[in-house]
Amino acid sequence: MDRIITENDLLLYHYKEVDTDIHQYITSELPSRTDWMDYLGLLTQIDLSLTQHRKGPAPTTLKIILEQSQHQENPTF
Amino acid sequence: MANTSITDGVLIKRYLEGNVAAFEILVNRHKDRIYGSVLNIVNDTYLAEDIFQETFIKIIHNIKKGSYNHEDKFLPWALRIARNMAIDNLRRKKRMPNVVTSDGSDLFETLLIADKSQEDIRIEQEEHAELYRWIRLLPEEQREVLVLRSYADLSFKEIAAITDTNINTCIGRMHYALTNLRKLSEKNSVRVK
């Protein structure tokens, strides 16, 4: 690889948005790069943290929405 | 109706043909991501509930009006509506997002991690809870990108379209968010990689 891997590359790598050649290069070099692993570790922690706090809307809100979905008139096309 | 293999586009088509159950599947498929994203952006449970409801009422209206033409890109389209609703609500009510310090441990989903002691799991949960509090302290633009990428699983391209910016701006905001989270972790001497 002719260019330096940036944190932006690592960001895109984590979310699988990086180009294939860069993805392969990062994967191959990762075991020897603790700084990269730390950065990717933070991203994983963020994903886990947000997932742990996953919440849904209240059942009454869903009920109102589903009632609305039944009652709204179909427009004339 | 078996729902796992039916695309969002097909569900919307069936709903337009009069199949209300198709819309219910669509709502259940995306409710947590849309609600969770709104909540993480506005930092207010009651406001998030209102916005979520308003968003889906508008979605119903737009679908029935024939305005939905995004094929199977329902989630980015819905999140765009939700985001615009959130901004409108915050402006109208002149409410700034509140910083909530804790949501209570009963809201946590237990991580199923084998080969870890209860103590390890407890420490990890505390670290994630701490990180979550810091995420909620981030500036709104940074938090928005982070939540839409990490939680809603939108691509940076989709986030750029929703937020009327470009990909580089979104990546930059995400980068600043990570830098700020690192600073917060150093300041609070809590281990965040």
Side-chain angles (χ1 to χ4, degrees):
Chain A
M1 175 85 25
D2 290 334
R3 69 177 183 81
I4 294 168
I5 296 296
T6 65
E7 289 190 338
N8 281 0
D9 291 323
L10 294 173
L11 189 59
L12 295 172
Y13 172 84
H14 178 77
Y15 292 114
K16 298 180 174 56
E17 291 193 47
V18 79
D19 293 339
T20 308
D21 56 334
I22 299 174
H23 189 280
Q24 287 172 347
Y25 177 74
I26 292 173
T27 302
S28 67
E29 294 294 312
L30 198 53
S32 62
R33 295 296 301 260
T34 53
D35 54 337
W36 292 2
M37 281 196 275
D38 283 350
Y39 191 84
L40 295 171
L42 173 59
L43 288 168
T44 302
Q45 281 196 316
I46 289 167
D47 293 344
L48 285 170
S49 179
L50 287 170
T51 304
Q52 266 196 346
H53 289 79
R54 177 176 292 170
K55 297 169 195 167
T60 47
T61 304
L62 287 175
K63 192 164 172 252
I64 291 166
I65 290 167
L66 294 176
E67 281 173 2
Q68 284 289 320
S69 75
Q70 293 171 36
H71 295 315
Q72 283 205 10
E73 295 287 326
N74 273 313
T76 306
F77 290 102
Chain B
M1 187 188 296
N3 62 29
T4 51
S5 58
I6 304 172
T7 65
D8 293 342
V10 170
L11 289 172
I12 289 167
K13 186 169 176 287
R14 289 186 184 175
Y15 175 55
L16 280 170
E17 290 165 354
N19 187 339
V20 178
F23 188 77
E24 187 169 352
I25 292 168
L26 192 71
V27 173
N28 285 324
R29 182 179 288 174
H30 297 293
K31 64 182 170 62
D32 288 353
R33 282 196 193 283
I34 294 172
Y35 177 81
S37 298
V38 170
L39 177 61
N40 281 312
I41 290 168
V42 301
N43 270 350
D44 182 320
T45 308
Y46 297 108
L47 185 56
E49 206 77 41
D50 286 347
I51 291 167
F52 178 81
Q53 187 175 315
E54 286 176 34
T55 297
F56 266 96
I57 301 297
K58 187 162 187 177
I59 285 170
I60 291 165
H61 180 72
N62 284 350
I63 287 175
K64 290 198 167 183
K65 205 171 64 177
S67 300
Y68 178 79
N69 58 0
H70 295 254
E71 298 183 354
D72 287 326
K73 293 287 185 183
F74 173 79
L75 184 60
W77 177 71
L79 280 169
R80 186 181 185 109
I81 292 172
R83 178 185 182 270
N84 290 341
M85 288 273 183
I87 290 169
D88 287 349
N89 269 274
L90 287 171
R91 284 181 185 155
R92 192 164 60 236
K93 295 178 181 179
K94 293 182 179 175
R95 292 172 65 172
M96 294 300 289
N98 295 323
V99 175
V100 181
T101 55
S102 176
D103 292 300
S105 57
D106 58 320
L107 296 171
F108 292 4
E109 287 183 6
T110 305
L111 271 181
L112 298 175
I113 303 170
D115 302 326
K116 286 192 174 175
S117 71
Q118 288 297 312
E119 180 64 7
D120 287 342
I121 292 169
R122 187 188 64 76
I123 291 168
E124 273 200 5
Q125 285 183 336
E126 282 177 4
E127 286 172 357
H128 288 142
E130 191 72 1
L131 182 57
Y132 185 68
R133 279 193 285 274
W134 295 339
I135 289 169
R136 299 184 80 162
L137 290 170
L138 290 171
E140 191 176 328
E141 288 179 341
Q142 293 172 25
R143 190 173 66 245
E144 180 178 60
V145 173
L146 188 141
V147 166
L148 291 175
R149 181 56 274 205
S150 173
Y151 184 79
D153 201 23
L154 298 186
S155 68
F156 284 112
K157 186 179 176 185
E158 289 170 330
I159 296 168
I162 285 175
T163 55
D164 290 324
T165 55
N166 58 54
I167 293 174
N168 286 337
T169 300
C170 291
I171 292 172
R173 285 176 183 173
M174 183 82 175
H175 195 67
Y176 280 123
L178 294 171
T179 303
N180 282 331
L181 288 173
R182 276 174 164 166
K183 283 180 186 169
L184 279 167
S185 75
E186 286 163 12
K187 190 178 170 186
N188 290 277
S189 302
V190 173
R191 182 176 64 87
V192 173
K193 292 183 179 77

